[in-house]
Amino acid sequence: MCGIVGYIGKDQNIKMGLDALRRLEYRGYDSAGAAWYNQNQKEIFCLKKTGRIDNLEKAISESNLNLTGNPFIFHTRWATHGGVTDQNAHPHFDCKKDIYLAHNGIIENYQELKEKLIKEGHQFVSQCDTEVVPHLIEKYFQGNLEEAVRKALKEIRGTYGIAVISKKDPGKIVAARLSSPLLLGINQNQVLVASDPAAVITHTRQIINLDDNEIAVLKPENFFILKEKPIVQIEWTQEEAQKGGYKHFMQKEIMEAPETIKNAIRGRLLPNEGQVRLGGLNTVSNKLREIDRISLIACGTASYAARVGEYMLEEYAGIPSEFDVASEFRYRKPVVDKKTAAIFISQSGETADTLGALREMKQKGILTIGITNEVGSTQSRETDAGIYTRSGPEIAVASTKALIGQLVTLAMLTVYLGRQRDMALVMGNRIVTELEKLPELANEVLKQGPEIEKLVEKYKDYNNFWFIGRKYNYPIALEGALKLKEISYLHAEGIAAGELKHGPLALVDENFPTVALCPSDSVYEKMVSHVQQIKARNGKVIAIATQGNEDIKKIADDVIYIPKTLEMLTPILSVIPLQFFAYYMAILRGCDVDKPRNLAKSVTVE
Ligand code: AGP
């Protein structure tokens, strides 16, 4: 993890910065650097070296540079983009070497920014993503450093904690943060900025933690903080929100499953480390390490994602987890404590019941994490931290691709939390590698759309359906039933397959078909016996099974195949045929697919 130390004030000896930087050595790094402003020469000097801080200290001592002056900034780098070289170490600077900057975090869109800046005539000297930032500041600099920083940061996507100095506006350090922790250390006539309290504690115990989108301007005699209200950028183009050539929004959104998975995982998978990068959790990463229970809370389709998440987190992160629908959770007396984290899942981020449960947890001081699709939604602003699913606009009332995005995000969160605990690198790598394959696997399932349309013809005269599943696919059975009833107005019920013989089997006969989720997983044999129980009562069975399983054809009336994947990821594929089944049934029955009667897209009332 990189470390930042900056100082402005009465102490003119830059060696003080080295001592502060050494207190960040525990964070791990591969190079170190410093830049300082010398008032006499009105110049910024900069030295940076790979290896230990000792190498930097040696370079400073052996240089014939004037070692007095401030503001100064020091940095330890832990390479993410660009090899371990002196040029790639921080601080980075602009073309004219007027502006020097140290950065923690990742500039996700640095490639496109770099290409644009090079076209505008900027020269780059490193392979580091950070280097685009001083050039962007240079582009906007018209005499006021914080104004130039403010404009530059608007073009950046990613995470940052930065400290910037300039010889053209020398009496200050400008600091800013988005997801990467940054704090100010306040002492009379001197101000420090650092990525970690350890760097400032010998100078002051008065600190201010910067919040996301805040820009601080530090001067010897004072400081001030600009709060940037983030301009919420709706990334969706007009045509994206149109139907894109499909008959209905719902059809378009089912077909967007592969893109939805790609968007959810983009820039977040680290297969070699068996890890994921979830920048939105950086500020609560240490708190998440401490939790020993998780509550998952949501409504409707999102609640079925939550149920799948419960299985994932228990099996692969080893964290006791409990799901509940928000409308029930907030009126229960849930037993929670400071080591509980509450995860709220909502496509819209505006569902009243979910927000009610969120506020209930916040007033108990419980750590709240949000998973939502809508940037800037109420949920995203009120949770302590969160993860955007990036699924794009979901217009149809029936939620389809949003569920896919939620399930992928929960799988990534499982790796994130599991790897904080005893999930081995190889397991993390297996899940992450399988996630990378999912867009293509989803594509294979989508190709069966026409087959499923034909299958619906065969079942269009039935008025009642069971949906049955076990373990990871039990929530998907519930979701399949919800999809069918909410857009075709047919009676459909999802149950845990093991419950069949405890009553529901009484309803099974030739007029009451069943959709059975039977992927080749740890409970496949159990599912086969449930299918046989139904067949023994003349019930018809549509099985969702794993490609290559020929046996299932001997007992089920119809089979829809999905590709093999990890058991915990099967729901992401097995739900797609059920979405198609509901979609084509609703069309056959002349229902308003995108706007089913009595329902709203976002239930903002209790
Ligand atoms: C699902 O198809 C429904 N539209 C509904 O159950 C929906 O999932 C629920 O209202 C939750 O909405 P949210 O994800 O926006 O919170």
Side-chain angles (χ1 to χ4, degrees), residues 299-302 345-349 351 397-399 406 482-483 486 603:
C299 297
T301 288
I345 305 172
S346 172
Q347 188 283 131
S348 62
T351 298
V397 166
S399 194
Q406 290 158 4
L482 175 64
K483 284 282 97 48
E486 75 172 313
V603 184

Side-chain angles (χ1 to χ4, degrees), residues 268-271 273-277 415-416 419-420 428 432:
R268 291 172 163 173
L269 303 186
L270 304 170
E273 292 108 81
Q275 245 307 2
V276 295
R277 179 192 298 125
V415 172
Y416 184 94
R419 296 284 284 128
Q420 284 185 334
V432 165

Side-chain angles (χ1 to χ4, degrees), residues 12 19 25 103 137 151 189 207 213 247 310 340 377 416 438 451 553 584:
Q12 294 299 322
D19 301 339
E25 287 205 276
H103 166 235
I137 297 169
K151 287 176 180 167
N189 302 327
I207 66 166
N213 300 304
K247 213 159 155 239
E310 179 187 285
T340 302
S377 60
Y416 184 94
L438 272 186
E451 281 303 300
K553 283 181 175 167
Y584 288 118

